[in-house]
């Protein structure tokens, strides 16, 4: 049987809540929740492991490395994001590239975001972006990540000017960085919860409290549809 192993990293408890109600047997990840389940069709099987990692870059990177160490050859992420440019509240957006907007060595004369001697812009897997863009019918763009909730119109303007960012979050670039180092394909889809401006916190809370079952369901439907795409099983 041809087999894919896909790991899903989810940061927030309300974003992860659908997996408790939709999926398989609970598996512990260093005391955090995790679920393992599978889809099959003909001679193909996709094993999926979801991990509730907690909010922020360190948590996300640790979960990503754990999944890679467990042999998961594709990593995915879903959640809520602030809208920076070209996207509206409630829309889905797929990440085409990722970087950390809060990585700052400017006192040393180094441009903000730049990591000396290493890559600092991470590309999503082109085949996954193409497949899910068609499957979901949504746009893709740059996702910027930082260990802060963006609710500042001045910072939002900077993210547009410096990075042409579409969305901001607290995990994707950290996962993408680990995947880049390990040579593992990465894909992320996010729903826009707020405009990353001065009223972002209340808009985010309102959407986050609704437990985004539709986003989890869309991601799992997309993964299941990969069974019909031979290129992922080569």
């Amino acid at each position: 049987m041809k087999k894919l192993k896909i790991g899903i990293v989810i940061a927030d408890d309300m974003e992860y809540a659908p997996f408790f109600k939709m999926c398989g047997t609970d598996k512990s990840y260093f005391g955090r929740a995790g679920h393992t389940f599978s889809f099959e069709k003909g001679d193909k099987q996709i094993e999926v492991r979801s991990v509730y990692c907690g909010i922020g870059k360190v948590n996300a990177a640790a979960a990503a490395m754990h999944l890679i160490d467990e042999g998961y050859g594709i990593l995915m992420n879903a959640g809520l994001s602030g809208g920076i440019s070209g996207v509206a509240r409630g829309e889905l957006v797929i990440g085409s590239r990722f970087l950390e907007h809060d990585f700052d060595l400017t006192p040393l004369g180094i441009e903000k975001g730049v990591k000396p001697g290493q890559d600092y812009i991470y590309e999503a897997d082109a085949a996954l972006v193409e497949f899910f863009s068609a499957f979901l019918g949504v746009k893709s763009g740059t996702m910027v990540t930082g260990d802060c909730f963006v609710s500042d119109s001045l910072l939002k303007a900077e993210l547009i000017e410096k990075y042409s960012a579409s969305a901001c979050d607290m995990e994707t670039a950290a996962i993408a960085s680990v995947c880049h180092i390990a040579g593992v394909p990465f894909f992320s889809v996010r729903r826009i919860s707020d405009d990353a401006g001065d009223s972002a916190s209340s808009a985010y809370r309102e959407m986050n409290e609704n437990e985004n079952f539709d986003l989890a369901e869309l991601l799992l439907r997309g993964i299941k549809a990969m069974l019909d795409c031979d290129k992922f099983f080569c």
Side-chain angles (χ1 to χ4, degrees), residues 31-60:
R32 296 182 184 274
H35 291 77
T36 302
F37 49 100
S38 63
F39 303 115
E40 295 184 13
K41 186 173 184 179
D43 65 344
K44 301 187 185 77
Q45 181 189 61
I46 299 177
E47 178 187 310
V48 182
R49 172 87 180 273
S50 61
V51 167
Y52 163 49
C53 71
I55 296 170
K57 294 192 296 183
V58 172
N59 286 329

Side-chain angles (χ1 to χ4, degrees), residues 31 35 54 79 96 119 121 133 160 167 205 208 218 233:
H35 291 77
S96 57
D119 295 328
I121 299 175
S133 293
I160 294 171
R205 288 193 186 98
N208 188 47
L218 284 171
F233 294 86

Side-chain angles (χ1 to χ4, degrees), residues 124-134 185-187 226 229 231-232:
D125 182 75
L128 291 170
V129 170
E130 180 182 22
F131 176 81
F132 276 92
S133 293
F186 175 60
F187 167 80
M226 290 171 66
C229 194
K231 66 182 177 181
F232 293 118

Side-chain angles (χ1 to χ4, degrees), residues 49-86:
R49 172 87 180 273
S50 61
V51 167
Y52 163 49
C53 71
I55 296 170
K57 294 192 296 183
V58 172
N59 286 329
M65 186 56 73
H66 168 74
L67 288 167
I68 291 170
D69 283 345
E70 291 286 307
Y72 289 86
I74 294 174
L75 262 57
M76 297 186 179
N77 164 260
L80 300 180
S81 283
I84 302 297
S85 64

